[in-house]
Amino acid sequence: MLVVEGEKAADAAARLLPSCVVTTSPNGSKSVGKANWSPLARRHVIIWPDADQPGIDYGAAVAHAAKAAAAASVAVIVPPVDVADGWDAADALAEGWDTDRARALLQSAVPEGSSSFRTKADASCSGDASGGGGDPEGRRRGPPQRDGLLELMEGGELWHTPTRDAYATVPVGDHLENWPLRSRAFKMWLAGQYFDRTGGAVGGQAVEDALRVLEAMAIHRGREYPLFLRVGEHAGALYIDLADAGWRAVRVSAEGWSVCSRPPVKFQRSSAMQPLPEPERAESVDDLRDVVNVRNEDDFRLLVGWLVGALRHRGPYPILAINGEQGSSKSTLSRLLRALVDPNAAPIRSAPRDDRDLVTMARNSWVLVIDNLSDVPGWLSDGLCRLATGGGFSTRELYSDFGEAIFEGQRPIILNGIPDLAARADLADRCVLMTLPAIPEDRRRAEAEFWADFDRKSPLILGALLDGVAGALRRLPQTRLATLPRMADFALWATAAEFSLGWEDGDFMASYAANRRGAVEASIEADPIATAVRDLAEAEDWHGTATELLTRLEDFVPLAIRSSRLWPSANKLKSRLRRAQAPLRSLGVVLDLEMRAATKDRARLIGIRMPGRG
């Protein structure tokens, strides 16, 4: 609720701020004590006083009355320093102020009693920054710290994201940095710049007051830019944030790649991000072979293809699911792959507890690595699928009754563990499955020796991967596949990179197709219903009700399975069949889940057939 002095000011404020409830007290500024202020109870109250001493007195009296009426909060607007005595909302309207400018003034309001409350009328009052007593010599007080902080942004840029989050791009040394206005990094920059300019420390309330104004300016007056994490795109070129102290990036285009000092895209950084190795020119990607433990050439191509895909600014991205016995270097491989794309202070993480934890990981990391999984519960499988191929997450905004925090994006993901991690068909359909071989004792290396070798080779490996990205950008428009798999964009991208990676045409798709067949078989073998349906289809074409089908499938599974929680009831059978429909189709088994009986009751039936049966 907004309180002003006088009815004329109230009418003007209502026009400037149509979404606000505006009120005033009757009978002039001296009659605050005669008004009924009880409607202010439990409301957030902002007072817009006139810019003179009577206005200051009126604002103080209203603030006292609002507190006595149990207002939720009380703040006072600080009129601009260059206005005439007695300036109020009516004067602002007459001067041509619009809603955005008035809203910015509103957002600059400071808590009643703050040392930041200053107007022209009190400039002759004495005191230090705490707003102390009179000055017998009548010396003028300097401008408030808030105004000094606002002046610091003259050399920077205020802007906002498509989701209306406020950011600033500020000069630091010989480069530019991007920070959220409410971040610790930006507040430290403000305090440091203020000290460099004035030699004094800035108060916390002054910082808060300045941030309110800067946020309003960034959102209502600043340009809108897309915000990127680690990998961005501009004018057909990709930019990969090196995350070094100079805020440099690698520019990758169809012509090649180079390191640039001032990328044209807006990158965000989390506190855990670490620098990529500075890439070097390489003859091939073969240096990677010496530091990874894979079974064969197919798995090596899939690793390289996954890395080249993770250096693209948009997905879908296949989930790399790494299995293997103890000591097969699953965690080491996960760390290594992340170090080549998105180094982090905590490169591998435990499984998230819920969707909110998963979204927090995705907001702060380009590559997600979930280590040492024993299983993948249904909710996590669904969340990973949405992150891999694109989908939104919504949670209630903290400290808000109605605010909604939205995350929508795609992320490269690595999972590792001893058991089969892609048992669910929808997850397996998005996975590159990799089983690592055991490492013989005579081939094991000390950790320090291994990582020192990797650190020497990583600039060359990254350079070779960037050659693959440049080649993909160059050849993608002409790349065609005979048939498109589920992760079609990834398959096209990796295929377009083949020539620059030194592979023959079709090499990657041959490896990827074989891996997908293995993923389909693994998902079917992990699901007793899918296995039983496959066996039934191989024996005969069949149709009937869900109850009849469940009874028929029992002939193909042992009693132990039928008695376990893995075996569904009839009313859950169709849901299980929908999940298995895609992998079964790839084996030639067609499920018809929407059949109707020709009888009068038109009962729902399920059909199972294998077209082309001899």
Side-chain angles (χ1 to χ4, degrees):
M1 177 173 283
L2 179 63
V3 180
V4 298
E5 182 181 343
E7 295 177 2
K8 183 179 179 182
D11 291 339
R15 291 180 61 184
L16 286 170
L17 298 159
S19 61
C20 283
V21 177
V22 183
T23 189
T24 187
S25 57
N27 303 321
S29 62
K30 301 285 187 183
S31 58
V32 173
K34 300 177 182 179
N36 176 20
W37 297 101
S38 61
L40 302 186
R42 296 184 298 279
R43 291 180 177 270
H44 296 283
V45 178
I46 298 177
I47 303 167
W48 186 340
D50 291 1
D52 53 21
Q53 190 59 51
I56 294 174
D57 296 339
Y58 177 80
V62 172
H64 179 77
K67 288 182 178 179
S73 66
V74 181
V76 183
I77 286 175
V78 180
V81 296
D82 57 347
V83 298
D85 288 338
W87 181 91
D88 62 7
D91 296 314
L93 183 63
E95 291 167 5
W97 280 42
D98 58 14
T99 298
D100 287 344
R101 191 172 179 186
R103 188 180 292 117
L105 183 66
L106 224 66
Q107 292 177 341
S108 71
V110 299
E112 188 277 332
S114 166
S115 62
S116 297
F117 179 46
R118 303 285 186 266
T119 69
K120 277 187 66 177
D122 71 32
S124 61
C125 297
S126 77
D128 52 24
S130 64
D135 181 354
E137 299 182 10
R139 290 173 298 192
R140 293 177 62 86
R141 175 179 297 147
Q145 289 184 334
R146 178 206 64 197
D147 293 347
L149 291 173
L150 295 177
E151 292 174 1
L152 295 175
M153 282 306 301
E154 293 174 358
E157 180 186 15
L158 295 171
W159 53 279
H160 63 273
T161 68
T163 55
R164 297 176 69 81
D165 295 316
Y167 275 76
T169 297
V170 295
V172 178
D174 60 352
H175 65 277
L176 300 176
E177 298 185 3
N178 309 312
W179 295 110
L181 290 186
R182 290 289 175 177
S183 66
R184 180 171 178 267
F186 181 69
K187 292 177 183 178
M188 291 176 64
W189 179 86
L190 275 179
Q193 293 292 305
Y194 188 86
F195 179 81
D196 290 344
R197 180 172 293 192
T198 68
V202 65
Q205 186 59 54
V207 172
E208 182 63 27
D209 297 343
L211 287 178
R212 292 180 184 176
V213 178
L214 293 175
E215 278 186 310
M217 295 172 65
I219 292 173
H220 298 296
R221 301 183 188 177
R223 288 184 59 185
E224 179 178 299
Y225 293 101
L227 183 64
F228 297 104
L229 181 69
R230 188 65 83 170
V231 183
E233 185 271 342
H234 178 73
L238 299 183
Y239 291 85
I240 301 165
D241 186 7
L242 286 176
D244 62 358
W247 282 67
R248 297 180 303 160
V250 180
R251 180 183 186 273
V252 190
S253 69
E255 289 72 39
W257 60 267
S258 60
V259 176
C260 62
S261 57
R262 289 204 175 188
V265 300
K266 302 291 189 183
F267 281 118
Q268 62 174 320
R269 289 186 179 179
S270 71
S271 59
M273 285 179 66
Q274 292 189 335
L276 279 165
E278 185 161 346
E280 298 177 7
R281 306 290 171 181
E283 294 295 326
S284 72
V285 76
D286 287 343
D287 282 317
L288 182 61
R289 296 178 190 275
D290 300 332
V291 290
V292 297
N293 173 44
V294 294
R295 292 178 303 172
N296 50 41
E297 186 66 17
D298 283 340
D299 283 359
F300 180 74
R301 288 196 194 104
L302 291 170
L303 273 187
V304 174
W306 185 90
L307 287 166
V308 171
L311 290 171
R312 193 184 188 193
H313 73 290
R314 66 168 181 264
Y317 304 101
I319 299 169
L320 182 60
I322 303 173
N323 300 110
E325 64 181 70
Q326 295 173 347
S328 57
S329 77
K330 299 182 297 297
S331 296
T332 298
L333 179 60
S334 300
R335 291 174 185 269
L336 182 150
L337 296 176
R338 182 165 191 181
L340 289 170
V341 178
D342 183 35
N344 194 277
I348 56 178
R349 312 286 179 91
S350 58
R353 293 172 297 178
D354 51 31
D355 272 347
R356 185 185 290 274
D357 281 357
L358 183 63
V359 170
T360 299
M361 293 173 67
R363 284 187 186 278
N364 293 285
S365 298
W366 178 243
V367 175
L368 275 60
V369 182
I370 304 178
D371 184 53
N372 199 27
L373 282 169
S374 55
D375 68 332
V376 182
W379 72 266
L380 179 55
S381 176
D382 293 341
L384 293 173
C385 288
R386 292 202 300 277
L387 276 178
T389 54
F393 295 80
S394 171
T395 59
R396 183 177 64 84
E397 190 173 13
L398 290 177
Y399 314 116
S400 168
D401 292 330
F402 305 107
E404 189 177 31
I406 301 293
F407 174 82
E408 184 168 5
Q410 299 167 323
R411 292 288 186 266
I413 300 169
I414 301 174
L415 313 176
N416 77 61
I418 293 176
D420 182 6
L421 300 176
R424 289 168 64 100
D426 50 351
L427 181 61
D429 207 30
R430 294 167 170 85
C431 279
V432 168
L433 299 181
M434 195 161 295
T435 302
L436 304 186
I439 302 176
E441 295 291 336
D442 59 353
R443 287 186 51 205
R444 291 194 177 277
R445 303 168 67 183
E447 285 270 325
E449 175 192 347
F450 173 83
W451 287 110
D453 185 32
F454 172 73
D455 289 342
R456 287 191 298 271
K457 293 176 177 177
S458 58
L460 293 169
I461 297 171
L462 180 56
L465 294 173
L466 293 174
D467 288 338
V469 174
L473 286 170
R474 185 166 54 252
R475 293 168 58 94
L476 185 62
Q478 294 80 40
T479 300
R480 300 289 184 272
L481 297 176
T483 58
L484 292 176
R486 170 63 183 271
M487 307 296 284
D489 296 85
F490 165 70
L492 285 165
W493 181 255
T495 299
E498 281 179 327
F499 180 79
S500 298
L501 295 169
W503 302 339
E504 298 294 329
D505 288 346
D507 279 353
F508 177 79
M509 276 307 299
S511 300
Y512 188 44
N515 190 269
R516 283 183 55 78
R517 286 194 296 272
V520 167
E521 293 168 0
S523 68
I524 290 177
E525 290 172 1
D527 183 355
I529 286 292
T531 304
V533 169
R534 179 198 61 190
D535 294 343
L536 172 60
E538 290 175 350
E540 60 178 336
D541 290 348
W542 188 94
H543 69 273
T545 65
T547 301
E548 292 168 344
L549 177 58
L550 198 63
T551 301
R552 182 70 177 95
L553 294 179
E554 289 177 353
D555 296 336
F556 295 89
V557 296
L559 177 61
I561 295 294
R562 301 199 306 266
S563 303
S564 72
R565 290 188 301 173
L566 297 174
W567 198 249
S569 58
N571 64 343
K572 298 290 182 63
L573 179 60
K574 186 172 286 190
S575 175
R576 290 282 294 273
L577 291 175
R578 288 192 191 283
R579 288 189 177 274
Q581 202 167 9
L584 285 169
R585 187 185 301 113
S586 67
L587 297 182
V589 179
V590 176
L591 299 182
D592 188 346
L593 304 181
E594 303 300 332
M595 291 181 67
R596 290 284 188 173
T599 55
K600 185 177 181 180
D601 61 359
R602 301 282 292 165
R604 292 178 177 272
L605 303 178
I606 297 172
I608 300 174
R609 57 193 174 88
M610 189 173 284
R613 186 191 306 276

